[in-house]
Amino acid sequence: MNMIAGAAIFMSVSGCENSNFSELNQNPNSIIIPQPTSFLSSSEVGISFENGVKITGGDSLFSEINYLQQLLKEEHQISLEISKVSSLITLEVLGNMPQNSHQISCKNQELKIYGGSPEAVFNGIQSFHQLLVLKNKASEISSLSEFELTDTPKFKWRGMLLDVCRHYFPKEIVLKYIDLLAFYKMNVLHWHITEDQAWRIAIDAYPKLTEIGAWREDASAENGALYGGFYSKEDIREIVEYAADRHIQIVPEIEMPGHSSAAVSAYPELGCNGEQISVPNDWGVFKDIYCPTEYTFKFLETVLGEVMELFPSDYVHIGGDEAPKTRWEESVFCQNLMKTEGLNDCEELQSYFINKMAEYLEKNGKTIIGWDEILNDELTETAIIQSWRGMDGGKKAVSEGRNAIMSPTSHCYLDYSLKAIDTEKIYGFDPIPPNCTAEEEARILGAECNMWTEHVPDEKTLDSKVFPRLIAASEAFWGTNTDYNSFLSRLDAHYRYLDKRGVLYGNETVAISIETKTDKNGITVQLTENLRDPETIYSMSSANTIQKENTFTGNLIEIPKNATSQLNISSGEKSAENKEDLLLSFNHHAWLTASTDYSVPYSDYYTAGGEDGLTDGVLGSLDFRDGYWQGFFGDDIDLIIENPNTDKAISSVSMNFYRYINSWIFPPESVVISVSTDGKMFTELDAYSSAEEEMHIRGQDILSPSFSFSPVSANYLKVNIKNIGKVPHWHEASSEPAWVFLDEIIIN
Ligand code: ACM
């Protein structure tokens, strides 16, 4: 018999008295996720399924009974017979229970699942489902031990956003995710179905939205092939019904006024200048947003009319984030509208836009949800704020008496790497912002994890990003996330279920931590394995030689002492299919470890490891968040690199700049290099200027200006880097400070 003591409070309701049980004990180690508020169990058999299974339940639970019937048949080959009288399983809604609570008792050959509502009963079914499905051996499935469980979620809104626009995920994958959300008692699928890069929902009144807007030139194909897809109304009805059967509310997000290039490309009249644009096949924020004209409002009302017919949810998400105002500022129409409406600037025009749409939706019985950018004094009182730029938007919303949903980038972004947000970090998330009053706390409806899919081209990547982090989120959103080690011990059983469902989950945390050390003796790399049962393979390539693969056994890795080399690392749980691949590049140049004097500080977020980061021989990769890039925001940069003890002449200098104008990282306007032997008198050696067209190129790449010259004695190298200063007028972030990202200064 289990004899584990716990502190949870057991609440008994009629028909579920624990006095008839053999001895039951608090068992915090139930395998259920999210952890129930109370779980008592013994090792006696509670029910066995050997003699046929009958079920009774009230008429209001018709759909839940059907669901359970199907589940037991499909997953456990148990047939469930519906019976009016005697039965093994009873489902019931009890009027005296809190609406969102459920309770299960399993004893004396009876399993009773009670809830305060059909949704609560459904959650009870999922607890039962988990207990059955997570058993070690198939042979154990014919019975369940005695237990009593009571459970109430802390938050009523437990969701996940799925972006099906940046990449398209067919209906079957959406249905699979609905099942998985239900398994973890999540109850909202926030379906992001319109974006710059795609419009994915069929709209009868505007067929070009999907004829044109659902397709873009495939940036990864060489032959101009189109990438895309969309959901027909029939698909959507099927998905919505499937979700409703699982008590998952689908909240559609129709983005406005920004992130709307796909719609503008289908109907250029929606934009301010009427120009034909193509559906972007690149990531970022785009400036062709809806123009606040009568045409646009009629369009959006018609679209939303069709959306409301498809989605029974009380809520429509209207986006509202990241809307550049360039087109509105250029537009005579917008300037006149602002005058007529007494609006001071384009931000007020955005509020005017959002409020107009909110009014329309409210008239039709819907409540709007918007990203925290929509929060302002004029915003309709009923609007719900989804806080993503930290917790502040949510805190401000609830302090003003509004409701909020929390999705801060710090904890809830599943597209972020494990380096930024690992399973333990999500597990520790508390949706309540600091210093909330009890009243404010009550207005935090719950939280969502956001799965943006710019870099998620397929189901395998999607699974590896979402799992196991979503499982940790489910416990955080349920509010029983008090013990990460207990969570981990329960998680093991869940991997078996994910395997069975074909989910290619990723790692719990970053597989490998890397520490590089550069000194007079060269560069060494120390890897640390972070997983529970890790396996790491690495190999080195240098010049034209590739070392054979090595199994990592804790050894220090020495980087070859010649020009360039690369270290390939692949690490993961021994048993897992998904491995994490890393590539580190090195350049062992002559001025390794030279010190750098900076005219301006580098960003606290992009440090390249600190003051030695530009001469440590470790090169920044194509991921600008890899920790090896130094970022400078808006400033010109003057560096003096000092190598006082060398008597060797130098004859070449090169350096790497990162370019990703989508994220405001621009090439430098110019670079000038000069040398000195005393640090006072400098002689200019060479200069480089970026061509204007270099500033316009989108996508991520590395530019490496290099200078060769006749050998010259030098102990000091001065590098004057001119930042373009402000993001150019043609860019969607026009007039914001521009970044320069710099890494190794390679001197030979
Ligand atoms: C967002 O991540 N732009 C809401």
Side-chain angles (χ1 to χ4, degrees), residues 161 166 253 255 259 321-322 371 373 386 388 409 413 450 452:
L161 173 148
R166 271 50 175 268
E253 181 176 351
E255 268 270 18
H259 287 292
D321 59 324
E322 300 179 318
W371 299 108
E373 283 95 327
Q386 186 161 8
W388 73 282
T409 51
Y413 271 49
N450 292 349
W452 300 109

Side-chain angles (χ1 to χ4, degrees), residues 290-309:
Y290 292 127
C291 204
T293 58
E294 280 313 306
Y295 178 87
T296 297
F297 290 125
K298 174 155 185 313
F299 164 85
L300 285 172
E301 287 184 9
T302 309
V303 165
L304 290 170
E306 292 194 31
V307 167
M308 287 187 285
E309 274 174 24

Side-chain angles (χ1 to χ4, degrees), residues 257-463:
H259 287 292
S260 46
S261 306
V264 176
S265 71
Y267 294 96
E269 307 88 313
L270 293 167
C272 278
N273 58 20
E275 276 172 25
Q276 179 66 59
I277 58 164
S278 51
V279 180
N281 63 353
D282 183 18
W283 317 129
V285 168
F286 296 84
K287 57 184 182 298
D288 287 297
I289 69 172
Y290 292 127
C291 204
T293 58
E294 280 313 306
Y295 178 87
T296 297
F297 290 125
K298 174 155 185 313
F299 164 85
L300 285 172
E301 287 184 9
T302 309
V303 165
L304 290 170
E306 292 194 31
V307 167
M308 287 187 285
E309 274 174 24
L310 289 168
F311 293 92
S313 168
D314 290 337
Y315 308 95
V316 175
H317 202 301
I318 47 83
D321 59 324
E322 300 179 318
K325 304 298 179 316
T326 326
R327 293 290 186 243
W328 289 4
E329 278 156 9
E330 292 164 357
S331 152
V332 174
F333 170 82
C334 289
Q335 298 309 316
N336 287 338
L337 180 63
M338 280 157 59
K339 269 191 214 125
T340 324
E341 295 293 332
L343 306 170
N344 292 316
D345 55 29
C346 286
E347 293 312 317
E348 290 190 14
L349 184 53
Q350 161 140 341
S351 303
Y352 166 86
F353 192 116
I354 296 288
N355 278 346
K356 230 171 142 61
M357 298 320 299
E359 221 170 89
Y360 171 76
L361 287 164
E362 270 178 5
K363 238 179 21 214
N364 285 278
K366 302 286 179 185
T367 300
I368 66 155
I369 307 173
W371 299 108
D372 55 41
E373 283 95 327
I374 71 167
L375 193 55
N376 63 58
D377 294 343
E378 289 82 44
L379 181 66
T380 171
E381 274 171 33
T382 54
I384 297 172
I385 299 302
Q386 186 161 8
S387 193
W388 73 282
R389 298 175 302 174
M391 304 289 273
D392 292 352
K395 167 75 174 131
K396 185 162 188 295
V398 294
S399 71
E400 290 173 2
R402 301 175 196 281
N403 288 335
I405 297 161
M406 306 307 289
S407 304
T409 51
S410 57
H411 288 80
C412 294
Y413 271 49
L414 298 177
D415 54 323
Y416 282 24
S417 70
L418 286 172
K419 214 163 158 181
I421 301 175
D422 68 4
T423 309
E424 187 168 7
K425 184 151 188 194
I426 293 202
Y427 186 80
F429 178 56
D430 179 2
I432 305 291
N435 307 319
C436 274
T437 63
E439 253 176 47
E440 288 169 351
E441 217 176 295
R443 292 192 202 107
I444 301 289
L445 302 181
E448 282 182 20
C449 287
N450 292 349
M451 184 65 252
W452 300 109
T453 58
E454 284 93 334
H455 307 289
V456 182
D458 50 35
E459 185 179 3
K460 178 176 179 220
T461 317
L462 181 69
D463 285 357

